[in-house]
Amino acid sequence: MGGRATDLTSQFSRRLLLPLVFISGMASLGVEFGASRLLAPYFGTSLYVWGVLIGLILVYLSAGYVIGGRLADRHPREEVLLQITAWAGLWIGVIPLISYPILLLSQQGFKELSVGLFLGSLLAVVLLFAVPVTLLGCVSPFAIRLLLRDVETGGNTAGRVYALSTAGSILGTFLPVFWFIPTYGTRPTLEGFGLVLVAISALGLWPWPKRRFYAAFAAAVIIAWIFLPSGIKPPQVGQLLYEKESAYGYIQVVRDGTKTELILNEGEAIHSIYDPQTLLTGGPWDYMVVANAFRPAQAVEVPPKDVAILGLAGGTSARQYVAAYGSGVDVTGVEIDPDIVDVARRYFHLDEPNVHPVVADARYWLDTQAARYDVVVMDAYRQPYIPFHLTTKEFFSEVRSHLRPGGVAVVNAGRTATDYRLVDAIASTMAAVYDNVFLVDVPAFSNTLVYGTTEPVTMADVEHNLGLINEPVARDVARSVLSEGRLRVSPYHDQVFTDDLAPVERLIDEIIFSYATGH
């Protein structure tokens, strides 16, 4: 009877091998996407963060393949594989809880400009994924060893296991991206993958000794879930009003005094401000409203009638245009993230009837439009990291084709007090497309506005037109441009970014590193 019970136990566990392979493949990709979104609010989503993450995940999987193959030859038993996946599931389930204080250290490191603390936190979090991903890498070679009965059919067995693992990986890609993360968040997604992996492992181990020990892993994951902090990331300043992980990134709304601020992704830049006590913010959005002055000298002021804003965010720039020119201006604001548009309406009072939000990628939207505008504002940049396809000569040419004769393109470029390399790159690229390029610094922010003209324009033309502005809001901005903004013709004619080569992320990383290290 004892031998029969053992055979039945082995048969039951063997029937779980292929489902285990599928779920392990699903968990390995789910963990990779979960890791990227766990890091995003603190380290961003730049090409380099993705490169480090994917590269190390592949290292961990490769180590798992080797270790799994050797373990399978030494201990070719189902319960050993099930214990491996149970530990992997437990580790995945507790990562969100363990990583939270480490991620807070990275935030403190950036605030204190401590490169060692910041990068050390990044490495520590990525290393947290070494154990579960390595253990998941053990699954396929181990399962092949257990399922292999005849050398003549070994290829078929290996092919079936890897096909099933890959099918699981496909599902592990689509589920987090299109459902779990946008609906429930990153940390519940990781908890869910860990719990499923622990559950099937404990089910397979149930007939074996110590089954209750491994079944308790599920309770440990659930407890870790319960004790997770309620928020994703505390604000650096002010009071947190709202936060969410959308399909495109991390969104945070903070109240600082009388101001409501929109913070995105790693949170080192303010993307929109609403202050009910003042129309002007002192930020780059104010300086966008005088863009129509960058044209040949006019006899009278010429207010813009049609404005397109690529990167609506919380709608600060749109609201400034309405404050300056009232119902006489029609504003179309393009924003890729529908959740940000919802935030703009709820917290930033984006309710002006002549502002028309459009949910779309800015470049794709331009490609589908025939309309032409007096001003196109490009505030689409999720600083400090910028989508490279919005910094190229081809993109700026597309923008120019949507401008009326005399129209102006405006780009909001980030910088430090002394490092203008990003301004240089954007202005140099725009100089290859526009007749003249002008620069205006924002005194209270580390930003420079870059204006590109579609007709030959001189400095005297711009100064003359700024002096004509009478609308109170725009007039105050015009005075600031002339007195504080260091209005000047762009001196930059260096590398031109193209769709084929636009190393904007490397450039920004170098700027951030130089700023943090004081070099």
Side-chain angles (χ1 to χ4, degrees), residues 81-161:
L81 176 58
L82 290 164
Q83 289 173 43
I84 289 173
T85 54
W87 280 105
L90 174 65
W91 198 281
I92 293 170
V94 300
I95 278 178
L97 185 63
I98 298 173
S99 64
Y100 187 73
I102 301 174
L103 290 168
L104 291 183
L105 283 177
S106 74
Q107 185 178 21
Q108 186 66 26
F110 201 97
K111 186 184 299 184
E112 297 176 356
L113 301 181
S114 171
V115 176
L117 183 57
F118 182 75
L119 295 180
S121 301
L122 171 62
L123 183 62
V125 174
V126 174
L127 286 176
L128 278 177
F129 291 90
V131 173
V133 176
T134 301
L135 293 176
L136 290 173
C138 295
V139 174
S140 291
F142 211 121
I144 291 170
R145 175 65 177 83
L146 294 176
L147 293 168
L148 188 62
R149 289 292 175 265
D150 189 343
V151 175
E152 294 182 358
T153 61
N156 180 62
T157 300
R160 189 167 44 139
V161 168

Side-chain angles (χ1 to χ4, degrees), residues 303-383:
K305 294 181 179 179
D306 295 291
V307 176
I309 299 173
L310 309 184
L312 180 63
T316 302
S317 51
R319 192 167 51 254
Q320 300 300 70
Y321 263 101
V322 173
Y325 303 109
S327 60
V329 63
D330 196 72
V331 181
T332 301
V334 184
E335 172 56 52
I336 194 171
D337 193 338
D339 289 308
I340 291 180
V341 175
D342 179 62
V343 164
R345 291 189 173 114
R346 291 172 58 187
Y347 295 97
F348 293 86
H349 296 266
L350 187 67
D351 50 12
E352 290 85 355
N354 50 331
V355 176
H356 314 288
V358 176
V359 176
D361 176 86
R363 188 160 180 179
Y364 172 79
W365 180 80
L366 280 177
D367 290 339
T368 61
Q369 295 298 307
R372 304 183 81 182
Y373 301 89
D374 297 317
V375 177
V376 175
V377 174
M378 286 159 277
D379 198 21
Y381 301 161
R382 298 291 180 252
Q383 294 171 6

